[in-house]
Amino acid sequence: THLSRVTVQKRRVAGYARVSTDSDEQFTSYEAQVDYYTQYIKRNPEWEFVKVYTDEGISGTNTKHRIGFNEMIADAMSGKIDLIVTKSVSRFARNVVDCIKYARDLRALSPPVGIYFETENINTLSQNGELLLTVLASFAQDESVNKSISVAWGIRQRFAKGIPKLVKPYGYQNDDGKLV
């Protein structure tokens, strides 16, 4: 028999990794995320690795200064990516409006671009994906707000006790907790 050869086009898949601070502890997390998603995508024979987009030392509460994120979205909008894989909703965005907006914008493309959140096992192209994403994005945003409130409270308490938060003050030296 003569069977026609049908070539199956691989899905073009990109990873997204982000850490919110550039501390040494988070650097290892950053490297681990990049390495993990590179290998994760390349291991799947149905996927074609695009790249891992990254933002290091950038908060997830706003997309304005997230260069890697914005490049990834632009590439997805221009048809270079079919699926985005990331660790969790909070890695993608800690702002509900941004998270849902980008998920909807990508899903509205033809063909649609999905986002897979590995920790939560959510694919934005599934039927209940957007509902789950909305709930979890709300939790991620709330967690970020609560963390900010907690940090501000800690700083106020330190100042009330006369203990400044010293961050290498310009022109001074820290001599046993006193500025000289």
Side-chain angles (χ1 to χ4, degrees), residues 6 29 38 97 101-102 119 140 147 155 177:
V6 177
S29 171
T38 300
V97 174
K101 176 201 177 306
Y102 288 111
T119 303
K147 192 176 210 177
I155 291 170

Side-chain angles (χ1 to χ4, degrees), residues 53-114:
Y53 296 84
T54 61
D55 286 305
E56 185 180 8
I58 305 289
S59 169
T61 57
N62 189 322
T63 61
K64 186 176 182 180
H65 301 291
R66 292 167 62 193
I67 295 166
F69 180 88
N70 290 318
E71 179 188 356
M72 176 184 68
I73 296 298
D75 284 353
M77 295 293 216
S78 67
K80 296 177 184 174
I81 300 170
D82 300 314
L83 178 66
I84 297 167
V85 179
T86 190
K87 181 179 176 184
S88 65
V89 173
S90 64
R91 292 293 100 206
F92 188 76
R94 285 191 178 265
N95 177 306
V96 178
V97 174
D98 284 344
C99 193
I100 300 303
K101 176 201 177 306
Y102 288 111
R104 283 180 179 167
D105 288 351
L106 295 174
R107 194 165 135 190
L109 295 172
S110 182
V113 175

Side-chain angles (χ1 to χ4, degrees), residues 17-83:
R18 179 187 65 78
V19 291
S20 54
T21 66
D22 48 9
S23 69
D24 290 340
E25 307 97 49
Q26 293 238 320
F27 181 72
T28 56
S29 171
Y30 172 79
E31 282 185 324
Q33 286 180 60
V34 171
D35 184 53
Y36 174 80
Y37 284 107
T38 300
Q39 298 310 314
Y40 179 77
I41 294 167
K42 286 182 175 182
R43 271 196 313 267
N44 190 323
E46 297 175 5
W47 290 353
E48 177 186 326
F49 176 74
V50 176
K51 76 184 260 187
V52 176
Y53 296 84
T54 61
D55 286 305
E56 185 180 8
I58 305 289
S59 169
T61 57
N62 189 322
T63 61
K64 186 176 182 180
H65 301 291
R66 292 167 62 193
I67 295 166
F69 180 88
N70 290 318
E71 179 188 356
M72 176 184 68
I73 296 298
D75 284 353
M77 295 293 216
S78 67
K80 296 177 184 174
I81 300 170
D82 300 314
L83 178 66

Side-chain angles (χ1 to χ4, degrees), residues 3-17:
L3 296 176
S4 63
R5 290 187 178 219
V6 177
T7 57
V8 177
Q9 187 171 353
K10 293 183 174 187
R11 289 179 88 184
R12 295 162 300 171
V13 180
Y16 179 68

